[in-house]
Amino acid sequence: MTRQSKKYSQKAGMLPGSVVFIGEGKTEPASLSLSSYTPDAYQPLPLKTLADCSTQVKQSGGIVWVKVSGLQDTAMVEELGKCFNLHPLTLEDVVNTEQRPKLEDYGNYLFAVIKALHWDSELKKTRSEHISLILGKNFLISFQEHQSDIFNPIHQRLQSDNGRIRKLGADYLLYSILDIIVDGYFSLIEGFGDYLDEIEEQLLSSPSSQTLKQISEAKKEMLFIRKSIWPVRETVAAIERSETPLIDKSSHIYFRDIYDHLIQQIDTGETYRDMLSNMIDIYLSSLSNRMSEVMKVLTIFASIFIPLTFIVGIYGMNFDIPELRFSWGYPGILLFMLAIALVLVLFFKRKKWL
C-alpha cells in the first residue's frame, strides 16, 4: 500500500464532506489573521471570535484577506466554513493535503487548490505545501498547510501605497498569490536542474550503483513535480476562461501570464524527464563499455599465455627433451617465450587493442 493510500484509508466509511485532516502530522498550532485594504489604506483587523470574520467582511468597506495557517485544527476550519457558508466538500478538500490542484465554481465563491513547491538542496527532495484559496465578492480566504513566509512579499506590497494591488479587487489578490507560488516553481526547477547536472557529471566520470540509485530517486522527484505542476496549468486556464463575475475581465490577462509561465516550466520539466531517461541509457552503456574493457584485457592476457602454455606443456612431458642437454637450452626457451609475449604485445598495440 502506498503512503497516499494509507492516508486516504483514514476516511474509509465516512460520509462525503467529512472534515478530516489528511497529511503529515504538524505540531505547530493553527492561527488565523485578518487584514483589510482599500486604495487608501491597509490595516490588520482585530479578531475576538471566529464569528467576527463574516461581520468584519461586511463592515470593512474594502477587500478582506482571511489567512489561515495550519490545517490540523479541523474544528476551526468547520467554524470558519459556517461563517462564510462554505460547502462541506470545500472544507473536506481544504484539510486534505493530498488533493490535486483544481478549481471549482460554487456560484458565490471560487475554490482553488494549489501546491507551493520548493527544492531542498540538502536532502535533494521537493518540499510541498498544500494551499487552498477561496475567492468571494470582496474577500479572499487562504489556507496554508503550515506556517511559512511565502506570502510576505504580498503583505509588503499591501502595506506600501505603490502598485496596483490595493487599487484592484480580490481577484487581483488571488492572482498575486498564484503568481508568487508559480514563480517559486522556477527556483524549484533550477535547483532540480543543478541536481541533474551533478548526477550527469558523476555518471560520465565514475558511474556506480549509487549513481543508478540517484537517477531512480530523481525520476521519482520529477514525477512528483510533474503531477504537482500539470494540474496547476489546468486550474489557471480554468480561471482565465471563467465567466464568473468574481473575476473581472481586466484581470484575465494577468492569469494568462501565469499560464505562460506554467507552460515554460512544464516544457523545462519535460526536457529534464528526457534527460533522466537518457541517463539510464548512458549508465547501461557505461556498464557495457566497462565490461567490454575488462573482457578485452582478459582476452589479451589469455592470447599472450596461450602459446606460452603450449610450450610449457611440451616441456612438461615425461620424456627426454633434446634442448635440455645443452647448457643454454633452459634459458634459451625462457627467452624464446619472452620474445613471443613481446611480439604479441607489439601486435596488439599496432592494432590499437591496447
Side-chain angles (χ1 to χ4, degrees), residues 89-147:
L89 292 178
T90 299
L91 302 180
E92 179 183 16
D93 290 338
V94 164
V95 295
N96 179 10
T97 62
E98 297 298 327
Q99 176 62 52
R100 74 189 296 271
K102 66 175 183 176
L103 176 74
E104 291 183 352
D105 188 348
Y106 285 90
N108 60 330
Y109 67 88
L110 290 179
F111 173 58
V113 176
I114 193 170
K115 302 294 183 182
L117 308 173
H118 77 274
W119 179 252
D120 190 329
S121 57
E122 294 183 1
L123 298 178
K124 309 299 183 184
K125 280 189 169 292
T126 304
R127 295 299 182 187
S128 172
E129 181 181 3
H130 178 74
I131 295 178
S132 303
L133 303 170
I134 297 175
L135 174 67
K137 184 177 181 182
N138 60 338
F139 68 89
L140 185 138
I141 308 175
S142 64
F143 294 90
Q144 294 178 251
E145 186 176 349
H146 50 77
Q147 298 279 356

Side-chain angles (χ1 to χ4, degrees), residues 268-281:
T268 305
E270 291 301 308
T271 301
Y272 288 160
R273 193 180 180 197
D274 293 339
M275 286 177 60
L276 283 168
S277 298
N278 292 335
M279 282 182 183
I280 295 180
D281 294 337

Side-chain angles (χ1 to χ4, degrees), residues 32 34 45-59 64 66 68 75-85 141:
L32 186 148
L34 274 74
L45 298 176
L47 182 65
K48 295 181 180 179
T49 63
L50 285 175
D52 292 340
C53 288
S54 57
T55 304
Q56 293 280 21
V57 170
K58 295 176 182 178
Q59 297 178 352
V64 175
V66 183
V68 180
M76 184 183 72
V77 174
E78 287 186 285
E79 185 65 26
L80 193 62
K82 293 178 182 178
C83 294
F84 288 92
N85 296 319
I141 308 175

Side-chain angles (χ1 to χ4, degrees), residues 307-308 311 315 329-343:
L308 306 185
I311 296 173
Y315 281 86
Y330 189 71
I333 291 300
L334 293 178
L335 290 175
F336 178 67
M337 293 169 63
L338 178 61
I340 292 176
L342 291 176
V343 168

Side-chain angles (χ1 to χ4, degrees), residues 58-74:
K58 295 176 182 178
Q59 297 178 352
S60 67
I63 306 299
V64 175
W65 182 5
V66 183
K67 182 180 177 184
V68 180
S69 299
L71 301 178
Q72 283 192 298
D73 191 349
T74 55

